[in-house]
Amino acid sequence: MEFVEQLKSAVNILNVIGEWVRLRKAGAYRYTGLCPFHSEKTPSFSVNVDKQFYYCFGCHAKGDVVNFVMEMEHVSFYEALKSLAERHGIPMPKRSQYADEDSKVRDAIFQMHDLAQENFRANLNGPAGEVARDYLAKRGVAPETVEQFGLGYSERSGRAVLRLFEQRNFPAAQIEQSGLVRKREDGSFYDYFRNRLMFPIHNESGRVIGFGGRALAADDNPKYLNSPETPIYKKSHVLYNLHRAKEMVRKDDRAILVEGYMDAIGVTAAGFRGVVASCGTALTAQQVMALKRHSQRIVVNFDPDAPGANAAERSINMLLDESMQVRIMELDGGLDPDEYCKQRGAAAYGERLKGAKGYFYWLADRARAKYDTRTSEGVVSVLKFLLPAVQRISDRLERMTVANDLAGYIGVDRALVLDNFRKAVADRREKTIEQPKEPIRADEKGLLNVLLSQTEGRDLLLAEMEKIEILERIPTRRIYQAVTAVHASGAPVTFDAVRARLEEADQNLLAEVIFAAEGDGHEITLDYGRQCLERLRQSEGELRRMQLKTRVKEAERAGNQVEALRLLEELQQMERSGELRR
Ligand SMILES: [Zn+2]
């Protein structure tokens, strides 16, 4: 068996996709969840475990387990194979025909990150790491937490990591692309991170793809230095700690979003493991989508200072755009999440978490602090302030409820609030892009499903099919042609083999047929296949009869009695033979 086939049969697509997407059983073979490739509120992403295949009815993303890993990790075919093989303990063939130049560079950069990570961790425990150890002790980070988060220390010399890369003979071009060194004007390199406490940043499958480094000397700027963008690190796609937090996020059906590395670490250490950090960058749509795959509910817990509040305000809009359910958690005493957990304890933090307000109340509080609601100008300003968030609620009923609650909360006339929001929302209508499609008949779907399953005796159906003309006119005709072609080639008629012969649009159609048939509740048996085939045959007769009748009428209308008579005879003959067959 070819390696790709072997790999695909060894891994369960459900487990692999399940690491990224929360899936629910929706049928014997079908699981559904929120699509990781486009923004949506109701699940249109489906996985078929029988065919080991996924398909999104919304954005038409589709493929097998290898395609999925390629898309999610933004990697090449070769890297996806490698990643799957490693995770499932399947040895890769030695000389691989799949590796291309890009994959090789990325592979080298991953290796360099592993080397750097080892080096940073060793430094932290060595004599040079004292300054970092002191800092961690001062911040009250326990040794097991240091271990858990893989914290490290980049030493002062500026040559340690570079030397490691050179010893391993990485080409200069790859070293330069790693983002772990900088280039001087004379072309020589030096380490990017020097004398910093190091926080490794992982992708969702847990590989180190970058670092954040905190300055340890008071005059070192910036306080936090992050890896630049590299072929393996795209800032806007990554949330710190998501690979560790995601399991708990699903379990709790809630994520906690904090700002910094230390916050994520402190909150985790206090026992709240479903926490991720945005790490200085403004929250992006990609980051929110990554979260949403695990839960749609989020508690934003930013710093209590003004920049923190402003960042929270911006994040809310981004989160609402992605239809997240947002609550805001506020901490008293001017403490950030990490400090709060340490000084007030986990129980107090838990209480605050429980008491987190719906984002609207939090926004209203902010508005009330800014404007005087006793004047009519003040009220108008408050409503203006709240409007962007209200407009983002696409559900009408929810919008009404929120407006109602808000009116009471800020002490303004209900009608005034509703009126204001209604006007503003009127122009924000969701567009539907569904195009009318030729309907697919149940028997057409049914027969295909029987043909693509491992039912015994399918060959009989394939032979019968040749005599049925209607198969050349139905919407799925090209799929039927592919089935016939695969069969004729002598290869086994499998889902993958048929799919490989289809154009994009027909691949989508195939996926829809496969998923739709399951909902029909028919058992996929040879008998059922025969029934479908028979119905197709009958409808073919009906179609021909209809056509003949029309032609008879046309001939009569044209005054061509001879032709009309001839057609009528043909029609009668057809009806007789149809009766005989029945
Ligand atoms: Zn989609």
Side-chain angles (χ1 to χ4, degrees), residues 421-438:
F421 290 163
R422 197 179 296 129
K423 271 184 217 138
V425 168
D427 44 37
R428 188 193 177 273
R429 288 276 171 262
E430 286 191 47
K431 334 152 203 69
T432 45
I433 30 168
E434 261 329 284
Q435 278 174 6
K437 279 191 214 150
E438 208 181 332

Side-chain angles (χ1 to χ4, degrees), residues 20-216:
W20 278 277
V21 183
R22 209 156 106 149
L23 293 169
R24 290 201 167 82
K25 199 166 167 64
Y29 298 115
R30 181 181 183 176
Y31 288 76
T32 59
L34 290 176
C35 179
F37 305 114
H38 86 280
S39 181
E40 64 175 2
K41 261 189 173 173
T42 46
S44 43
F45 180 81
S46 300
V47 180
N48 183 300
V49 285
D50 179 43
K51 308 274 186 289
Q52 294 279 301
F53 177 81
Y54 69 89
Y55 180 70
C56 173
F57 286 81
C59 69
H60 308 301
K62 63 188 159 296
D64 57 24
V65 67
V66 184
N67 301 132
F68 186 82
V69 173
M70 285 171 71
E71 290 296 322
M72 288 312 296
E73 295 191 353
H74 309 284
V75 295
S76 67
F77 181 67
Y78 168 74
E79 290 167 295
L81 287 184
K82 196 158 171 270
S83 155
L84 282 166
E86 273 166 11
R87 270 187 282 174
H88 292 84
I90 303 162
M92 282 284 279
K94 276 277 180 305
R95 277 187 306 127
S96 186
Q97 75 255 43
Y98 307 113
D100 57 46
E101 210 35 55
D102 277 358
S103 315
K104 282 179 195 152
V105 171
R106 293 160 56 89
D107 200 33
I109 297 177
F110 272 122
Q111 285 175 39
M112 284 187 255
H113 277 76
D114 289 345
L115 285 172
Q117 169 65 356
E118 261 174 56
N119 176 260
F120 296 151
R121 293 188 71 170
N123 289 343
L124 185 64
N125 296 315
E130 196 180 344
V131 53
R133 288 198 301 273
D134 285 352
Y135 174 81
L136 287 168
K138 206 174 71 200
R139 291 292 300 255
V141 184
E144 58 269 24
T145 305
V146 172
E147 192 66 25
Q148 185 189 358
F149 283 85
L151 305 189
Y153 171 68
S154 58
E155 52 134 278
R156 285 165 207 271
S157 76
R159 287 191 304 272
V161 166
L162 177 64
R163 207 179 299 136
L164 277 174
F165 296 168
E166 285 171 348
Q167 278 166 7
R168 305 278 172 129
N169 297 319
F170 285 106
Q174 289 182 358
I175 295 180
E176 191 179 351
Q177 284 188 73
S178 73
L180 293 168
V181 299
R182 263 180 187 162
K183 202 175 186 173
R184 290 194 191 87
E185 284 199 359
D186 66 3
S188 62
F189 295 128
Y190 62 102
D191 288 0
Y192 189 83
F193 297 101
R194 296 172 309 283
N195 192 27
R196 285 176 180 266
L197 175 65
M198 300 302 295
F199 301 87
I201 299 166
H202 300 79
N203 65 13
E204 230 182 291
S205 21
R207 289 207 73 172
V208 178
I209 53 172
F211 292 94
R214 190 196 191 284
L216 292 168

Side-chain angles (χ1 to χ4, degrees), residues 41 323 390-396 398-399 428 430:
K41 261 189 173 173
S323 317
V390 174
Q391 278 177 304
R392 283 178 162 84
I393 307 174
S394 52
D395 186 72
R396 194 178 146 269
E398 193 190 336
R399 211 161 49 228
R428 188 193 177 273
E430 286 191 47

Side-chain angles (χ1 to χ4, degrees), residues 401-414:
T401 314
V402 164
N404 212 357
D405 287 354
L406 263 183
Y409 195 69
I410 51 180
V412 178
D413 179 39
R414 260 189 65 211

